[in-house]
Amino acid sequence: MARTNFLISVIVSTYNRPDALALVLKQCLAQTDTNYEVIVADDGSGEPTRTVIESAANHTDLAVSHVWQPDQGFRAAAIRNQGIAQARGEYLIFLDGDCVPQGDFIARHRALAETGWTVTGSRILLNEALTSDLLTQRLSLTQANLRFWVRQRCAQRSNKLLPLLIKLPDFAQRRVNGFKWRGIKSCNLAAWAVNVHAINGFDEEFSGWGHEDADFVARLYNAGVRRKKGFYATEVLHLWHQEQPRDNASLNYKRVLEVLQSKRTWARHGLDQALIKQEPAETTPFGSMPS
């Protein structure tokens, strides 16, 4: 029987969106599964974000830490690597700071975790109006029930309903044959720490928006790690935001193609930089380690 009592590290990426982060952390720290820690990987946010993290940490017995790097443009790969370097868990879940998990999010990821596999989670998109109502607390997720979500779907304020009502276990159709781009999103992605270290984490040569998540999964694939899809199990509520500029998307796409063609597994500028602390990051621990 597979071991299930491993510590999970949830690495939450954020940048100057403290209202969204507050909602995400509230749900992160109210999980049915309690064997986990939370690391906020902060790509240069200001003091309001730190205040949100400290406030959340003060209301839980779970371990919460804050890893921060200076704001020098979009450097998601670098700050995720800083989060990985601080993680104590055997299993890592990457979550964006505008993706709100359901209460069984960690339990569902744990149920899908399997040696030699990574899991790409799924998401439910919320529109601007519903996002505003949630962030300004005109609506409460803790009070959301079936009727609430039916109303939101009928009003086209969310793009899915069934994944909130139906949760499926692990089964053969989750397994992806070969490498496929579709469904890879680092806003909800899980992998074993040992596999992440073996490929040198995220590649910091990716700059701007686009495809650093596909590169990560492609290098895992080249290293023999296959992919499962987390649909109807791991869905997060993706708060609305304006689209990021995609100026570098085509260049980043070509980088992924090069990785697939060359079978390369190692990130040229990756996790090893964070582990030897060549680029300074500030780390603030809160709370205590889960037992």
Side-chain angles (χ1 to χ4, degrees):
M1 176 179 280
R3 186 168 60 86
T4 60
N5 63 343
F6 49 87
L7 178 68
I8 291 175
S9 296
V10 183
I11 300 174
V12 182
S13 304
T14 191
Y15 173 70
N16 275 336
R17 203 175 177 193
D19 54 352
L21 181 64
L23 184 56
V24 170
L25 289 181
K26 181 178 179 180
Q27 296 298 113
C28 275
L29 297 172
Q31 294 288 306
T32 56
D33 185 320
T34 59
N35 190 17
Y36 66 99
E37 64 173 356
V38 174
I39 301 166
V40 180
D42 183 355
D43 191 15
S45 302
E47 189 62 26
T49 293
R50 176 181 172 81
T51 300
V52 164
I53 299 166
E54 188 166 6
S55 175
N58 288 337
H59 290 85
T60 182
D61 292 330
L62 295 164
V64 179
S65 58
H66 179 201
V67 179
W68 180 92
Q69 68 184 8
D71 183 359
Q72 297 175 4
F74 186 88
R75 295 192 296 154
I79 197 58
R80 286 194 182 107
N81 283 337
Q82 296 288 355
I84 295 165
Q86 295 298 322
R88 300 181 179 93
E90 293 181 55
Y91 198 67
L92 310 178
I93 300 176
F94 299 96
L95 182 68
D96 275 3
D98 57 6
C99 291
V100 184
Q102 299 179 70
D104 61 352
F105 174 74
I106 292 175
R108 295 289 176 177
H109 263 294
R110 189 185 299 276
L112 295 180
E114 182 180 351
T115 301
W117 294 82
T118 185
V119 175
T120 51
S122 188
R123 62 181 180 167
I124 297 168
L125 301 177
L126 309 186
N127 76 354
E128 185 175 5
L130 178 53
T131 295
S132 177
D133 284 347
L134 291 171
L135 294 180
T136 57
Q137 299 182 353
R138 288 193 292 269
L139 294 173
S140 171
L141 279 177
T142 59
Q143 298 174 354
N145 54 23
L146 173 58
R147 182 178 297 178
F148 171 88
W149 287 113
V150 169
R151 287 201 307 267
Q152 305 311 315
R153 183 71 186 103
C154 290
Q156 298 185 336
R157 284 155 62 99
S158 67
N159 74 329
K160 296 177 187 176
L161 175 62
L162 286 180
L164 291 167
L165 310 179
I166 301 171
K167 299 296 176 70
L168 300 178
D170 200 355
F171 61 109
Q173 286 71 25
R174 293 196 182 279
R175 288 157 172 77
V176 178
N177 293 320
F179 177 84
K180 293 182 173 62
W181 290 68
R182 183 176 175 83
I184 299 175
K185 294 179 177 66
S186 55
C187 67
N188 182 2
L189 173 66
W192 293 97
V194 65
N195 296 143
V196 173
H197 281 259
I199 66 166
N200 203 24
F202 287 87
D203 192 341
E204 298 176 25
E205 290 185 356
F206 281 73
S207 61
W209 181 92
H211 305 309
E212 77 280 352
D213 43 12
D215 168 80
F216 180 81
V217 174
R219 287 183 290 108
L220 283 172
Y221 175 77
N222 289 345
V225 178
R226 298 303 183 252
R227 177 163 75 98
K228 291 184 188 180
K229 295 181 287 187
F231 64 96
Y232 283 91
T234 64
E235 275 78 9
V236 295
L237 306 175
H238 195 160
L239 302 174
W240 179 89
H241 60 80
Q242 291 185 336
E243 292 291 332
Q244 293 283 348
R246 303 192 175 190
D247 300 341
N248 291 334
S250 61
L251 176 60
N252 290 348
Y253 177 82
K254 291 177 182 176
R255 285 192 172 112
V256 179
L257 291 181
E258 179 275 322
V259 163
L260 289 169
Q261 292 167 0
S262 68
K263 305 297 184 183
R264 179 165 59 85
T265 63
W266 190 256
R268 296 190 181 101
H269 184 194
L271 176 60
D272 56 346
Q273 305 298 307
L275 291 171
I276 64 177
K277 301 185 183 302
Q278 287 186 350
E279 178 176 12
E282 297 181 10
T283 304
T284 305
F286 303 100
S288 58
M289 280 299 296
S291 57

